[in-house]
Amino acid sequence: MAPIDWQWAPLDELDGRAVHAMLRLRQQVFVLEQTCLYPDIDALDLEAHHLLGWQRVDGVRTLRAYLRCIPPGAHYDEIAIGRVLTAEEVRGQGCGSALMNEGIRRAEAQFPGHRIRISAQAHLERFYTGFGFARVSDIYLEDEIPHIAMLR
């Protein structure tokens, strides 16, 4: 896997090209690939720190991984990590694990002493358990997709 250049910033500090790449990749994964019509862009984007993982592809800086980190108290009592995704081209190459490791590291440094909550797609429970998350809910539907709440 090519090296990943991580960018961590609140929305106001991202330039227009980064925001466009972020929203385009979120749309590609959550709306088109998962065929899920829901309001992906929401007010939590304004509160969040965004973690963007860039790689060089034929000399062009290309967004390959993304997640958002919402401060404690803005959505849950805990830190919330969500909108976790990797581009289809890098799946199965360890990019998702690198993204979660970097996201957890940045979230804990930004908001020390707080737990992290995620709303995980139920089929990814084992993946998130590998990062120290434990299931704390029954399965529920979020945008017609089975999810579980998990805490670390």
Side-chain angles (χ1 to χ4, degrees):
M1 182 173 75
I4 300 173
D5 177 28
W6 297 110
Q7 181 180 11
W8 171 259
L11 190 67
D12 292 347
E13 292 179 16
L14 294 173
D15 67 23
R17 289 190 180 276
V19 171
H20 178 267
M22 169 187 88
L23 295 176
R24 185 170 188 257
L25 189 56
R26 282 172 37 177
Q27 174 183 268
Q28 178 62 39
V29 172
F30 298 127
V31 178
L32 299 176
E33 286 180 25
Q34 296 180 3
T35 58
C36 184
L37 298 177
Y38 78 107
D40 172 56
I41 301 167
D42 60 25
L44 293 173
D45 283 322
L46 302 172
E47 304 281 333
H49 271 73
H50 301 269
L51 179 62
L52 294 84
W54 301 94
Q55 287 182 329
R56 290 265 169 212
V57 178
D58 297 326
V60 177
R61 189 173 185 240
T62 305
L63 186 61
R64 295 300 204 191
Y66 170 83
L67 64 72
R68 73 177 182 184
C69 174
I70 302 164
H75 190 49
Y76 302 120
D77 291 337
E78 305 86 4
I79 300 164
I81 288 180
R83 301 294 198 266
V84 178
L85 66 86
T86 57
E88 185 176 21
E89 298 82 6
V90 296
R91 291 186 196 141
Q93 299 176 26
C95 193
S97 293
L99 173 66
M100 280 306 297
N101 283 324
E102 188 70 15
I104 291 166
R105 186 182 75 74
R106 300 273 186 144
E108 290 177 344
Q110 187 80 35
F111 308 106
H114 291 275
R115 297 185 77 185
I116 301 173
R117 178 177 290 269
I118 60 173
S119 179
Q121 291 185 11
H123 74 278
L124 294 172
E125 179 177 2
R126 187 174 184 184
F127 174 75
Y128 289 114
T129 299
F131 298 97
F133 288 92
R135 181 178 177 163
V136 294
S137 78
D138 290 331
I139 292 177
Y140 55 90
L141 288 180
E142 185 174 309
D143 303 312
E144 301 304 313
I145 297 172
H147 280 72
I148 54 172
M150 300 184 82
L151 278 176
R152 172 187 157 97

